[in-house]
Amino acid sequence: MLTEDDLNRYSRQIIIPELGTRGQKKLKNSHVVVAGIGGLGSLSSMYLACAGIGHITIIDNDYVEISNLNRQVLHWNENIGEEKVLSAQKKMANLNPGIEITPVFEKVTENNAKKLIKGAQVVIDAMDNFETRFFLNLACVKEKIPFIHGGINGLFGEVTTIIPYKTPCLACIYPKVPHMEKPFPALGATASLIASIQVLETIKLIAGIGELITNRILYVDGTEMEFNFIEIKRSINCSVCGENENI
């Protein structure tokens, strides 16, 4: 049930007709995993906490560095050298003490990805490399957990919502691991925009409202301020989801 504090804290979103108290209860009873607490993960974790997601698991195996601070807003100067998950947990708990936050200081691998996401309603992709994204994609498909993919590069970004066996998975979209320059360019405003869309997709999915970015990718070009959707289809030859369910 929603407490009096819940009704006050979330009053401005509860009056959204599509959400209401029914949708807010769904958010409170949900579990979302955020994989990566960098630029995308900081913003998405913060907004998930503010929105009242009842249980948020944050996963990262890195430490705060000064070069993170232009975009990773859950980490401050005083946190340099600290585990990112602990730095983020403290800020999130101050933002909303009424939710459960589980920090996991661990590297996502092919062997542990399934264990790390088990029991979640949604997994948010906030990683900075495609190899780890592919591990998460495989685990989400096997566990039939929706996977909200997001990525940035400078002033460009992309988002798609993957529903296992109903939409193309990440391996359908990228049959081979894309090349990424290291370090890749990253702007805080771009990360904020893409993370906000990922959170909106997560809330819509959990509450059962609106239309999701499924079977298409949203590409954002911040240099020209253009938003374009590209239709995508499941691949019958996909090594992850092509042979396991009907296309």
Side-chain angles (χ1 to χ4, degrees), residues 40-111:
L40 293 174
S42 286
L43 270 301
S44 57
S45 295
M46 183 174 68
Y47 281 119
L48 290 171
C50 290
I53 299 298
H55 182 192
I56 304 170
T57 295
I58 52 177
I59 305 171
D60 206 301
N61 72 320
D62 209 351
Y63 298 88
V64 179
E65 299 177 0
I66 192 169
S67 61
N68 303 147
L69 304 186
N70 78 311
R71 64 200 181 279
Q72 301 183 16
V73 295
L74 279 179
H75 311 308
W76 302 345
N77 206 65
E78 65 195 48
N79 303 120
I80 292 173
E82 191 175 343
E83 292 180 7
K84 285 186 178 180
V85 290
L86 296 183
S87 168
Q89 181 192 30
K90 287 185 286 188
K91 317 302 192 322
M92 292 165 67
N94 280 329
L95 278 170
N96 191 346
I99 64 171
E100 180 181 356
I101 305 158
T102 302
V104 179
F105 185 74
E106 195 167 344
K107 182 178 181 179
V108 178
T109 67
E110 187 174 8
N111 293 328

Side-chain angles (χ1 to χ4, degrees), residues 55-247:
H55 182 192
I56 304 170
T57 295
I58 52 177
I59 305 171
D60 206 301
N61 72 320
D62 209 351
Y63 298 88
V64 179
E65 299 177 0
I66 192 169
S67 61
N68 303 147
L69 304 186
N70 78 311
R71 64 200 181 279
Q72 301 183 16
V73 295
L74 279 179
H75 311 308
W76 302 345
N77 206 65
E78 65 195 48
N79 303 120
I80 292 173
E82 191 175 343
E83 292 180 7
K84 285 186 178 180
V85 290
L86 296 183
S87 168
Q89 181 192 30
K90 287 185 286 188
K91 317 302 192 322
M92 292 165 67
N94 280 329
L95 278 170
N96 191 346
I99 64 171
E100 180 181 356
I101 305 158
T102 302
V104 179
F105 185 74
E106 195 167 344
K107 182 178 181 179
V108 178
T109 67
E110 187 174 8
N111 293 328
N112 68 9
K114 188 174 177 180
K115 176 195 71 175
L116 293 174
I117 67 168
K118 199 169 187 65
Q121 276 72 59
V122 180
V123 174
I124 289 184
D125 166 22
M127 302 305 303
D128 61 359
N129 69 90
F130 272 91
E131 183 180 21
T132 308
R133 286 184 170 115
F134 279 17
F135 296 151
L136 288 167
N137 175 73
L138 176 63
C140 284
V141 169
K142 299 303 182 185
E143 291 295 305
K144 297 185 178 181
I145 299 173
F147 184 47
I148 316 294
H149 164 64
I152 65 167
N153 191 310
L155 274 69
F156 297 85
E158 63 183 51
V159 183
T160 189
T161 294
I162 296 167
I163 310 295
Y165 303 118
K166 293 184 179 179
T167 73
C169 76
L170 202 63
C172 294
I173 304 167
Y174 296 105
K176 296 182 179 180
V177 178
H179 171 73
M180 288 183 66
E181 55 184 300
K182 294 182 179 180
F184 64 91
L187 184 68
T190 310
S192 176
L193 176 59
I194 299 303
S196 294
I197 296 172
Q198 289 181 284
V199 171
L200 188 55
E201 287 288 283
T202 300
I203 290 171
K204 287 159 54 184
L205 201 157
I206 292 171
I209 60 177
E211 183 179 353
L212 300 169
I213 306 174
T214 52
N215 297 305
R216 53 193 178 143
I217 299 180
L218 170 61
Y219 288 108
V220 177
D221 177 356
T223 60
E224 302 294 334
M225 202 49 67
E226 292 182 348
F227 295 73
N228 296 301
F229 287 98
I230 304 297
E231 299 294 324
I232 53 176
K233 294 182 179 180
R234 286 183 64 196
S235 171
I236 193 170
N237 298 315
C238 177
S239 60
V240 174
C241 72
E243 299 178 357
N244 297 313
E245 295 278 339
N246 294 328
I247 298 292

